[in-house]
Amino acid sequence: MERLYFDVAHLFAGSLVLMSFVLLYQDRMTGLINVFTMHAVVLSLSVGWQAYAQNAPHLYITAGIAVLFKAVIIPISLQNMIERMGIHREIEVVGGIGPTMLLGIALVALSLAVVLPATAAADPLAREDIAFALSVVLLGLLMMVTRRNAVSQIIGFMSLENGLILAATGAKGMPLVVEISVAFSVLIAFIVIGIFLFRIRERFDTVDVQELDRVRGSTK
């Protein structure tokens, strides 16, 4: 039975890494939001399985929060945001999709090479979940630095935070109040970022980071 716990937990954690690669591959805004929704659903399934495997009922609440905020509220808000801003077009990726995917594979290999030897004495389920979680965090960071659209950078930030939740639930022991606090902090951060994006869009008629840099340079 213990082997089944490991296999299912690794299946969900590995699926989350795979969904991060699919996020990196997306070059259209609507597809990006749909994949992010799936990213949140897989995270919720992973946390729900950890709740069952660890006999930790409070993690079911964490899974419910992840579904409600990240698979429902935030994707719907993002969809409304891009419709109001009129930015359904393709997303420009710095350096192209191919090199970005190769760099992502290198980051996953780096995560495994760093975490597994450093946590050799830890619980096997936790150490491998942390290795997968670090991969998700690094892939989220990679997405933030390789996208020129502010909305896609927000999605990169949210996927990065999904990796942090995966690490916290796999490592065990994080109090429920901290998890709820983090969830609300992310939601508030998302609302504030959304307000700023609308103001930027009204002021400069774009949320493309490269265009904003060009405008800033021309005003100096």
Side-chain angles (χ1 to χ4, degrees):
M1 191 64 184
E2 188 176 355
R3 184 67 197 174
L4 178 64
Y5 291 154
F6 281 24
D7 290 343
V8 176
H10 294 161
L11 173 65
F12 286 134
S15 298
L16 202 61
V17 175
L18 177 62
M19 296 307 297
S20 294
F21 274 107
V22 180
L23 275 176
L24 281 176
Y25 183 75
Q26 289 297 317
D27 60 357
R28 294 194 67 83
M29 192 63 74
T30 303
L32 197 63
I33 294 174
N34 291 338
V35 176
F36 175 70
T37 303
M38 290 302 301
H39 201 273
V41 169
V42 173
L43 173 70
S44 304
L45 291 173
S46 177
V47 174
W49 180 255
Q50 289 286 353
Y52 173 72
Q54 299 176 25
N55 192 25
H58 69 280
L59 289 181
Y60 289 117
I61 300 176
T62 303
I65 290 173
V67 168
L68 178 63
F69 285 165
K70 297 191 170 185
V72 179
I73 295 177
I74 290 179
I76 291 175
S77 301
L78 282 172
Q79 192 66 45
N80 291 334
M81 189 183 295
I82 65 170
E83 286 177 2
R84 291 179 62 183
M85 290 181 177
I87 49 175
H88 298 274
R89 57 184 170 79
E90 292 184 355
I91 307 163
E92 193 171 355
V93 180
V94 179
I97 293 291
T100 302
M101 298 293 282
L102 290 176
L103 187 54
I105 293 171
L107 289 175
V108 172
L110 176 66
S111 303
L112 297 175
V114 169
V115 172
L116 294 182
T119 57
D123 176 64
L125 181 59
R127 64 192 287 261
E128 294 177 17
D129 263 8
I130 291 173
F132 283 124
L134 181 59
S135 300
V136 174
V137 169
L138 293 179
L139 292 175
L141 282 173
L142 178 62
M143 186 172 171
M144 290 179 70
V145 300
T146 57
R147 299 302 169 110
R148 289 177 175 165
N149 185 289
V151 176
S152 59
Q153 291 177 344
I154 292 175
I155 293 177
F157 170 73
M158 295 291 172
S159 68
L160 179 157
E161 199 263 344
N162 284 351
L164 295 178
I165 292 178
L166 179 66
T169 54
K172 305 178 184 177
M174 188 169 78
L176 177 61
V177 65
V178 175
E179 295 172 29
I180 293 176
S181 174
V182 170
F184 276 103
S185 298
V186 170
L187 184 62
I188 291 171
F190 174 76
I191 293 171
V192 172
I193 292 170
I195 292 171
F196 272 106
L197 281 181
F198 277 113
R199 295 299 300 272
I200 292 171
R201 179 72 167 77
E202 291 172 359
R203 177 69 176 82
F204 298 104
D205 201 31
T206 182
V207 289
D208 188 300
V209 177
Q210 193 176 32
E211 284 297 312
L212 294 176
D213 285 340
R214 188 183 61 76
V215 172
R216 186 180 63 178
S218 65
T219 56
K220 286 182 178 178

